């Protein structure tokens, strides 16, 4: 629990420092803090991931969420990260776990329309900013799971505590 509070505090502290720095290049808005594997497993379970799913992790770090979705559930996956070092780590992670045929990692802004599950471990303001894109681009029925942070006034349909972390689930509604 103490580690969990520290992780979330570090996430906010580094994000605040980055926001104070004049930015000439595209920098990560959210620092790299990996999700513990027990929490990854709970996120995939909460979303009900199976071998028909395509899991997108927006800000994928070392790729652990899509790699575990592929290895343990047979899902396909795409990880997107602004940091080329993380993309390299994620590709090595996929290779080590023999799931290269199921997953890919990209540094560019991804077209997320094919996703059936989207995972997030970002920051509250980034989640809220992403929300219109998620609602616009994702198909009805697509599940979104977020580690630690909610989506403002879009209330989650489920919320769970896992090893000191909170995880949230939403489903994209039918388009009006
Ligand atoms: C808190 S980490 C989460 C990593 C991984 N999803 C996990 O749960 O283990 C956030 C990640 O988002 C990435 N990131 C930050 N800003 C980004 C942006 N604008 N576009 C894409 N990725 C970004 C960071 O490089 C970092 O790897």
């Amino acid at each position: 629990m103490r580690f969990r509070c520290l992780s979330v505090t570090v996430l906010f502290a580094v994000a605040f420092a980055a926001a104070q720095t004049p930015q000439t290049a595209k920098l990560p808005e959210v620092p790299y803090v990996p999700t513990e594997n027990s929490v990854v497993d709970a996120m995939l379970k909460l979303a009900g991931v199976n071998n028909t799913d395509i899991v997108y992790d927006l800000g994928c770090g070392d790729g652990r969420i899509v790699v575990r979705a592929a290895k343990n559930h047979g899902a396909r996956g795409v990880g997107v990260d602004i940091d080329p070092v993380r993309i390299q780590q994620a590709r090595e992670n996929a290779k080590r776990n023999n799931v290269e045929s199921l997953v890919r990692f990209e540094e560019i802004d991804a077209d997320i329309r094919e996703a059936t599950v989207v995972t997030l471990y970002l920051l509250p303001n980034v989640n809220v900013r992403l929300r219109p894109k998620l609602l616009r681009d994702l198909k009805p029925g697509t599940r979104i799971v977020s580690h630690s942070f909610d989506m403002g006034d879009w209330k989650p349909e489920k919320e769970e505590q896992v090893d000191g972390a909170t995880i949230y689930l939403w489903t994209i509604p039918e388009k009006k």
Side-chain angles (χ1 to χ4, degrees):
M1 179 63 175
R2 199 187 302 158
F3 174 77
R4 163 72 26 216
C5 292
L6 189 64
S7 298
V8 174
T9 307
V10 167
L11 199 64
F12 273 111
V14 181
F16 179 76
Q20 307 309 305
T21 308
Q23 296 186 3
T24 48
K26 224 180 160 200
L27 292 173
E29 296 172 274
V30 186
Y32 177 54
V33 180
T35 297
E36 287 164 62
N37 284 333
S38 59
V39 179
V40 172
D41 292 344
M43 290 169 77
L44 298 175
K45 188 171 171 204
L46 186 61
V49 170
N50 64 47
N51 64 4
T52 65
D53 280 313
I54 307 177
V55 179
Y56 272 62
D57 186 21
L58 306 183
C60 66
D62 69 359
R64 60 184 58 202
I65 296 181
V66 293
V67 166
R68 277 179 102 77
K71 189 164 180 165
N72 298 339
H73 301 275
R76 284 183 289 147
V78 179
V80 183
D81 205 288
I82 200 170
D83 185 342
V85 174
R86 301 298 165 215
I87 295 294
Q88 185 57 32
Q89 285 177 339
R91 289 180 179 148
E92 286 162 10
N93 191 4
K95 190 170 184 183
R96 237 183 355 263
N97 285 284
N98 298 313
V99 293
E100 285 171 294
S101 61
L102 289 174
V103 303
R104 67 176 201 275
F105 296 97
E106 297 174 355
E107 235 180 278
I108 52 166
D109 277 343
D111 177 345
I112 61 171
R113 285 175 297 182
E114 68 167 354
T116 59
V117 174
V118 171
T119 58
L120 308 170
Y121 182 22
L122 298 168
L123 281 169
N125 61 321
V126 182
N127 276 6
V128 168
R129 217 175 56 223
L130 259 180
R131 184 174 136 179
K133 178 180 169 71
L134 299 172
L135 286 164
R136 185 188 63 229
D137 290 356
L138 297 172
K139 296 180 285 292
T142 302
R143 293 92 81 203
I144 301 167
V145 181
S146 174
H147 175 183
S148 277
F149 304 115
D150 65 17
M151 294 263 190
D153 61 7
W154 186 13
K155 296 295 164 218
E157 41 191 85
K158 282 192 186 161
E159 183 177 328
E160 282 181 10
Q161 303 293 321
V162 192
D163 288 347
T166 307
I167 58 176
Y168 303 90
L169 173 75
W170 298 261
T171 303
I172 297 291
E174 290 301 326
K175 312 274 180 198
K176 288 185 185 144

